[in-house]
Amino acid sequence: MSTNYIGQSVKRLEDKRFITGKGRYTDDIKLPGMLYAYILRSPYAHARIKSMDTSGAEKMEGVVKVYTGKDFEEVNGVPCGWQVNFKDGTTMREPKHPLLVSDKARHAGDGVAMVVANNYYTARDAADEIRIDWEVLPAVTNAKAAMEPGAPKVHDEFEDNMVFDWEIGNPKEEVDAAMATATHITKLDFTNNRVAPNAIEPRSYVGHYDPVYDKYTLYTSTQNPHLIRLLMCAFVLGIPEHKVRVLGPDVGGGFGSKIYHYVEEALVTLASKELGAPIKWTSDRSEAFLSDAHGRDHISSAEMGFDDEGKIVGLRIKTFANIGAYLSTFSTAVPTYLHGTLLQGLYTTPKIHLDMTCAFTHTTAVDAYRGAGRPEATYLLERLVETAAHEMGMDPAELRFKNFIPAFDGVNEPGYQTQVALQYDSGNYHAVLERGLEMLGYEDFKKEQEEARKQGRYLGVGISTYIEACGIAPSAVVGALGARAGLFESAQVRVQPTGKVSVYTGSHSHGQGHETTFAQVVADKLGIAMEDVDIVHGDSDAVAFGMGTYGSRSLAVGGSAIVKSIEKVLEKGAKIAAHKLETSEDDLEYKNGAWTIKGTDRSISFGDVALTAYVPHVYPEGLEPGLDFSSFYDPTNFTYPFGCHICVVEVDADTGKVEIKRMIAVDDVGNVINPMIVDGQIHGGLAQGIGQALLEGVQYDESGQLVNGTFMDYAMPRADDLPSFETDRKVTPCPHNPLGVKGAGEAGAIGSTPAVVNAVMNALWHKGVRDLEMPLTPERVWKAMNGQ
Amino acid sequence: MDLSGSHVLEAPVETIWKMILDPETLARITPGISQLELESEDNYKAIAEVKIGPVKGRFEGTAQIVDKSEHESLTLKVQQNSKIGNVAADVFMKMEPAEEGKTRLSFDGKANVSGLLARTGGRVMTGVANTLTKQFFDNFEAELKRD
């Protein structure tokens, strides 16, 4: 049969169960005799536990056990997955992140006790009966303030709150010298606001120890089951990996917040063995605000220098990044290797220097959130470029074109070596901006804006161009940069005797549609029907190994591993086919699901070869039976999607409310397997990026209380906050992976935020407004418009 | 959260001072307080029921009067704990004689709230504090008329 799935908007196979409410999430799992856990969390950001009395809770009917920090003092804390060194080479400060704290709480929401009972509500009510005598201590929630002398300390064992200081780019003195030649310098001081990920499905875990087989099973709402198993077994619990099965059933979104190994995963696993029963813990929504890792939270002071022709001559940045109270799994990589390395952007900036200080504060941990470091880099660059253009009286698009890296395909031209360690694979940056401006009707818009202004209406346009680094790899490189894990992916393609194909991938979907996209690739490459392909993921017993899904790596790394295994299947299949057709492999070609002798109509189907492989009665001598291959694919480089996002806003002159009139996104994510899925990912990312710009922001008060920890207080974007998105694509294939794909999951959240803010600044430039802190709430905008 | 208020009450300073130091009276005039027991001089055990916007809770804790300057001022230190979060407040209360034997009673303080109360009640806290302040003075006036 003839198949052509790649590039088609095949409807998502998994949606049959999702949109009919039949998905099976961790909290849907009910095991016989299951007990329920509730975590009692510190009401204070920083407070010493003077004493704790759990007897009231223990006496309650239905309560099985109350655990406190003292029960786990011998257990290792959850580890950090990435080691970053200080500028002077010493290792980062890595305090223990205990499963429950026994000495003092270091952020509002720090776990202090776990009540296990025969149902959730009993556990929760019992937790109210735990009496704790607290000594409340002063707290610090801002990374810059945390580095001031005399700031309250998060970890008593260190002399101050610095996790590490770090730098990247050209030597500082070279950058200073370049900046000294600038005829114009644009300087911005700003905060990249802290946001909460808010996946639809709150975190949920079920630990189940089976004494008969001496085996643990953990069901977890994670983005990477194998990594959780590795971290939990090797670092926290010391249980051999072969005794632990980690299952990630359907997972309802993650946006980064479900990458990390959380203490509750280890708690339910340990307690399950001790209590001889499965134990479930599920976060409630408000608890998620306190205990899921947040994103962003940088305080920066950035300067970009230009010569008299508008060419960028240098970029100098000082940033304080908030890491929270403990080191979350990838927290240390985000402000450093995932952020500093993207400061070249799309520009030929010859000298760049980033001076980064990461600080502990009395807040929830900060880790990767959709884009992870790249949105922060893009925000900084695109705000600077746009502001510089206005300051110099130049057109912001023109200034970008002038400074863009020229197009290169990575095949005929080499990759582009940046000043900040990375080598871009391929790119054509002019093309996306040209297309974006064309979609907008840039020149017409400028006239419309003039007209509107005469009527007292404030229209503004903001441009943002971005590049991101996806599919982090290869392992050797990330290892040299401090990663404590490899960043490859595995895939097994198991052809069944009837010619049906089971694919076991280490990538793990949390809503991205892997079961469809991967099946499209497999069906196309094998020339079989999609319904003959089954994608298995999220089970550490079924899949050999995996690094999970984040950083838009699923297709670029996971998909490539599948292709590598398919190649092995076809290679062995050809040997069987040649034997059956009594010809040489060289005379065969594989197309439409069959091996055919070139120039003849003599062929053998994929199914017949599959059957022969398992029923090897007529079989080549010396060849093993079976048709089942695994691959571990370790890419040679990251992939580098890029794009241009343009936002048009109107600011209400009376109220300061920002209305997005148009949102244009032209993205180049390399080859596209399923356009509908890519569009969906772009749309979701745009919504999150716009949310950060206009609505969202985690707020702590001065005592470290999270004051907007519910959806009544934390403004998630809703449908009526968003316009209809106008999207288009350019395609610059990735030159180094077999699918030519780059990744699309984060793009929308990276480019959109600065586009929105730039648009608002453009609308209000004539009112003297130059910069505003996100989110751009009506109150902030109104005050700025009115000179307050 | 900042707490402040000021009101002229129709009674001399001596009367106001006595009423504030009397647990039964204080319990009646302070909004939400359902029980106030004198444990030792100037140390009270307090139970309060408070409903703030979407959050409702029963608070238990202590109230302590310190830095007493007779007929002039005192500081009330309150520590209240509940399932929905804790409140710690220091309130400086001042009494000044006003015309015709009246008293200007003013207070100024700061309350630190924590937990769910801070997370979900923060939005409405200031409004609630204003309402409670008004209730306090209204109750005080009613109490004065009672006698």
Side-chain angles (χ1 to χ4, degrees):
Chain A
M1 67 178 287
S2 170
T3 56
N4 185 16
Y5 295 111
I6 289 180
Q8 302 300 314
S9 289
V10 175
K11 282 190 182 168
R12 300 189 348 153
L13 305 172
E14 46 272 76
D15 284 346
K16 281 176 197 157
R17 63 178 192 275
F18 292 158
I19 63 176
T20 55
K22 303 274 170 36
R24 190 185 300 151
Y25 299 87
T26 301
D27 197 48
D28 294 320
I29 290 163
K30 289 184 178 62
L31 301 173
M34 192 156 81
L35 301 175
Y36 297 79
Y38 178 80
I39 310 279
L40 179 65
R41 299 184 181 279
S42 168
Y44 299 112
H46 191 200
R48 196 173 303 284
I49 300 171
K50 289 197 285 188
S51 65
M52 190 188 301
D53 178 7
T54 56
S55 58
E58 281 156 356
K59 277 195 295 241
M60 282 181 63
E61 196 183 331
V63 171
V64 178
K65 170 115 185 164
V66 178
Y67 289 96
T68 69
K70 297 213 180 335
D71 294 307
F72 302 108
E73 273 175 345
E74 302 302 310
V75 178
N76 293 323
V78 293
C80 179
W82 203 298
Q83 180 185 314
V84 179
N85 294 336
F86 279 81
K87 284 178 189 166
D88 67 8
T90 52
T91 311
M92 67 184 185
R93 288 172 178 158
E94 197 172 1
K96 181 176 176 179
H97 184 180
L99 302 192
L100 293 171
V101 291
S102 55
D103 54 346
K104 63 173 186 172
R106 295 178 183 83
H107 67 90
D110 213 353
V112 293
M114 177 170 76
V115 182
V116 181
N118 57 14
N119 74 66
Y120 173 76
Y121 299 100
T122 301
R124 194 174 174 140
D125 286 347
D128 287 337
E129 300 306 318
I130 296 173
R131 294 283 169 264
I132 301 172
D133 188 9
W134 294 101
E135 179 192 352
V136 182
L137 303 167
V140 63
T141 61
N142 166 303
K144 198 172 175 186
M147 291 312 304
E148 297 285 332
K153 277 206 288 177
V154 182
H155 297 281
D156 297 327
E157 64 267 40
F158 305 129
E159 65 192 58
D160 59 26
N161 288 317
M162 192 187 283
V163 185
F164 53 78
D165 61 1
W166 185 84
E167 62 186 342
I168 194 168
N170 308 96
K172 179 74 166 53
E173 45 287 5
E174 288 181 18
V175 179
D176 290 343
M179 293 296 280
T181 69
T183 53
H184 179 86
I185 290 179
T186 290
K187 184 171 190 297
L188 282 174
D189 295 316
F190 51 82
T191 302
N192 201 301
N193 46 328
R194 176 187 278 239
V195 289
N198 289 315
I200 289 178
E201 180 205 12
R203 290 192 294 124
S204 180
Y205 312 121
V206 178
H208 181 203
Y209 175 71
D210 178 350
V212 177
Y213 291 94
D214 182 29
K215 197 154 175 178
Y216 300 79
T217 302
L218 172 69
Y219 299 87
T220 165
S221 56
T222 184
Q223 294 179 218
N224 46 0
H226 289 84
L227 198 63
I228 298 306
R229 187 183 63 169
L230 173 68
L231 295 175
M232 194 170 71
C233 292
F235 294 93
V236 188
L237 304 185
I239 303 168
E241 273 164 288
H242 65 284
K243 295 285 184 193
V244 179
R245 178 183 186 189
V246 176
L247 280 151
D250 287 331
V251 177
F255 313 117
S257 72
K258 291 176 184 162
I259 300 175
Y260 329 119
H261 178 30
Y262 286 95
V263 293
E264 294 88 355
E265 291 172 306
L267 283 170
V268 295
T269 305
L270 265 187
S272 169
K273 181 173 185 183
E274 188 189 340
L275 302 180
I279 295 173
K280 180 192 286 182
W281 172 82
T282 299
S283 167
D284 76 19
R285 179 57 65 184
S286 188
E287 195 177 6
F289 274 99
L290 288 173
S291 65
D292 295 2
H294 296 155
R296 319 282 190 255
D297 207 345
H298 285 193
I299 299 170
S300 296
S301 187
E303 294 169 282
M304 189 176 259
F306 296 85
D307 68 14
D308 49 14
E309 289 178 348
K311 290 282 279 184
I312 304 169
V313 297
L315 174 64
R316 191 163 56 192
I317 306 148
K318 170 67 207 168
T319 294
F320 293 88
N322 195 339
I323 221 92
Y326 302 102
L327 302 183
S328 173
T329 310
F330 287 121
S331 59
T332 50
V334 177
T336 54
Y337 296 105
L338 301 183
H339 169 254
T341 53
L342 269 298
L343 289 168
Q344 187 86 45
L346 302 177
Y347 307 114
T348 54
T349 312
K351 298 289 175 191
I352 302 169
H353 185 262
L354 167 68
D355 181 359
M356 170 65 75
T357 301
C358 287
F360 290 114
T361 63
H362 295 102
T363 64
T364 300
V366 179
D367 205 321
Y369 167 67
R370 206 163 189 172
R374 296 79 141 189
E376 295 91 315
T378 303
Y379 188 75
L380 188 145
L381 291 173
E382 294 305 291
R383 287 287 298 121
L384 281 171
V385 169
E386 188 97 351
T387 306
H390 291 304
E391 285 176 353
M392 294 189 289
M394 290 179 70
D395 183 292
E398 214 39 61
L399 185 61
R400 286 182 173 86
F401 283 129
K402 191 186 281 284
N403 283 288
F404 275 162
I405 295 162
F408 60 104
D409 63 12
V411 180
N412 300 305
E413 301 95 5
Y416 183 84
Q417 180 59 51
T418 71
Q419 305 300 312
V420 278
L422 301 181
Q423 191 182 38
Y424 296 165
D425 56 353
S426 61
N428 183 355
Y429 309 137
H430 291 73
V432 287
L433 179 53
E434 277 160 10
R435 178 65 186 130
L437 296 173
E438 182 186 55
M439 287 166 72
L440 170 67
Y442 193 41
E443 295 308 320
D444 289 343
F445 173 80
K446 284 196 266 190
K447 287 182 206 134
E448 188 189 336
Q449 187 180 24
E450 272 311 305
E451 279 307 307
R453 198 155 291 164
K454 284 177 199 157
Q455 301 160 17
R457 290 172 56 222
Y458 305 155
L459 285 183
V461 62
I463 301 172
S464 158
T465 52
Y466 72 89
I467 186 161
E468 66 160 324
C470 295
I472 310 170
S475 297
V477 170
V478 295
L481 300 180
R484 288 166 171 167
L487 284 170
F488 53 86
E489 197 47 86
S490 87
Q492 182 180 10
V493 175
R494 177 179 298 167
V495 181
Q496 309 289 2
T498 57
K500 312 296 182 201
V501 179
S502 302
V503 178
Y504 302 83
T505 171
S507 300
H508 178 42
S509 175
H510 43 285
Q512 296 92 336
H514 290 178
E515 289 162 41
T516 308
T517 306
F518 288 161
Q520 284 179 259
V521 170
V522 174
D524 234 24
K525 296 280 177 195
L526 291 178
I528 60 176
M530 266 183 78
E531 47 268 35
D532 290 345
V533 181
D534 187 37
I535 305 293
V536 182
H537 60 101
D539 180 349
S540 70
D541 267 13
V543 179
F545 204 77
M547 299 306 296
T549 286
Y550 42 84
S552 296
R553 69 191 301 277
S554 291
L555 200 52
V557 190
S560 295
I562 293 173
V563 173
K564 292 286 174 194
S565 292
I566 290 173
E567 285 167 2
K568 293 177 188 173
V569 165
L570 291 177
E571 196 182 326
K572 184 171 180 183
K575 292 189 198 314
I576 302 167
H579 180 74
K580 294 276 278 187
L581 292 170
E582 296 177 325
T583 183
S584 134
E585 287 163 57
D586 298 337
D587 294 333
L588 292 177
E589 60 182 349
Y590 187 76
K591 61 176 184 189
N592 298 336
W595 283 270
T596 305
I597 300 174
K598 288 175 201 163
T600 76
D601 60 358
R602 289 190 58 221
S603 70
I604 180 167
S605 73
F606 180 73
D608 284 343
V609 168
L611 186 64
T612 308
Y614 290 94
V615 188
H617 298 167
V618 184
Y619 206 70
E621 207 178 303
L623 196 63
E624 278 179 35
L627 200 51
D628 184 347
F629 286 95
S630 291
S631 303
F632 283 72
Y633 176 72
D634 202 346
T636 55
N637 193 357
F638 297 13
T639 65
Y640 297 92
F642 55 91
C644 159
H645 294 179
I646 300 178
C647 180
V648 174
V649 298
E650 177 162 359
V651 179
D652 188 302
D654 295 326
T655 64
K657 183 168 166 51
V658 176
E659 186 195 351
I660 298 181
K661 312 282 279 187
R662 295 180 71 183
M663 190 77 213
I664 295 163
V666 183
D667 299 284
D668 190 329
V669 299
N671 290 336
V672 169
I673 307 299
N674 187 319
M676 187 176 65
I677 287 179
V678 169
D679 283 345
Q681 298 201 350
I682 298 290
H683 284 198
L686 291 173
Q688 283 180 302
I690 291 168
Q692 187 188 8
L694 296 183
L695 297 157
E696 297 183 52
V698 172
Q699 301 291 327
Y700 288 97
D701 71 9
E702 58 192 26
S703 65
Q705 290 297 326
L706 174 67
V707 294
N708 60 343
T710 74
F711 281 155
M712 285 197 293
D713 307 275
Y714 185 94
M716 288 284 284
R718 295 160 303 186
D720 68 348
D721 294 311
L722 305 168
S724 265
F725 301 130
E726 301 164 54
T727 60
D728 196 12
R729 264 188 287 281
K730 293 282 172 187
V731 178
T732 308
C734 173
H736 62 79
N737 70 45
L739 290 167
V741 296
K742 291 188 166 184
E746 302 159 307
I750 295 173
S752 58
T753 311
V756 175
V757 177
N758 283 343
V760 176
M761 294 310 124
N762 179 242
L764 301 177
W765 191 267
H766 69 292
K767 305 278 290 179
V769 182
R770 296 292 177 265
D771 194 27
L772 275 178
E773 231 174 73
M774 295 187 288
L776 304 179
T777 58
E779 184 193 8
R780 276 188 185 149
V781 174
W782 187 89
K783 280 184 172 171
M785 273 161 59
N786 290 281
Q788 294 183 21
Chain B
M1 184 176 60
D2 292 325
L3 302 167
S4 66
S6 178
H7 193 75
V8 175
L9 295 163
E10 296 193 10
V13 167
E14 293 74 18
T15 310
I16 303 295
W17 177 260
K18 211 175 129 210
M19 286 170 77
I20 288 178
L21 290 184
D22 173 45
E24 278 183 29
T25 314
L26 192 60
R28 274 202 298 275
I29 58 179
T30 310
I33 293 275
S34 58
Q35 206 183 325
L36 199 62
E37 279 174 38
L38 189 65
E39 299 239 287
S40 62
E41 198 193 343
D42 295 340
N43 283 293
Y44 300 91
K45 189 174 158 219
I47 294 175
E49 307 271 349
V50 177
K51 188 174 188 311
I52 297 169
V55 250
K56 200 169 92 177
R58 182 173 192 268
F59 291 81
E60 282 181 40
T62 57
Q64 198 188 0
I65 293 173
V66 298
D67 299 336
K68 270 198 299 188
S69 171
E70 195 171 356
H71 301 161
E72 278 178 19
S73 66
L74 56 84
T75 298
L76 188 62
K77 292 173 90 71
V78 179
Q79 173 67 48
Q80 291 279 293
N81 301 333
S82 77
K83 290 176 179 182
I84 59 168
N86 305 336
V87 179
D90 275 16
V91 183
F92 176 72
M93 295 181 99
K94 197 163 86 171
M95 278 142 267
E96 292 165 295
E99 74 283 4
E100 296 164 29
K102 296 179 186 175
T103 303
R104 172 168 291 280
L105 174 63
S106 49
F107 64 88
D108 189 21
K110 198 171 159 53
N112 284 315
V113 293
S114 68
L116 190 66
L117 196 60
R119 214 148 73 238
T120 57
R123 199 161 29 96
V124 292
M125 243 7 168
T126 308
V128 169
N130 292 339
T131 308
L132 294 180
T133 300
K134 185 173 180 305
Q135 272 179 26
F136 175 77
F137 287 121
D138 287 352
N139 293 349
F140 217 130
E141 281 184 346
E143 188 70 20
L144 282 169
K145 283 179 190 138
R146 228 170 81 121
D147 289 337

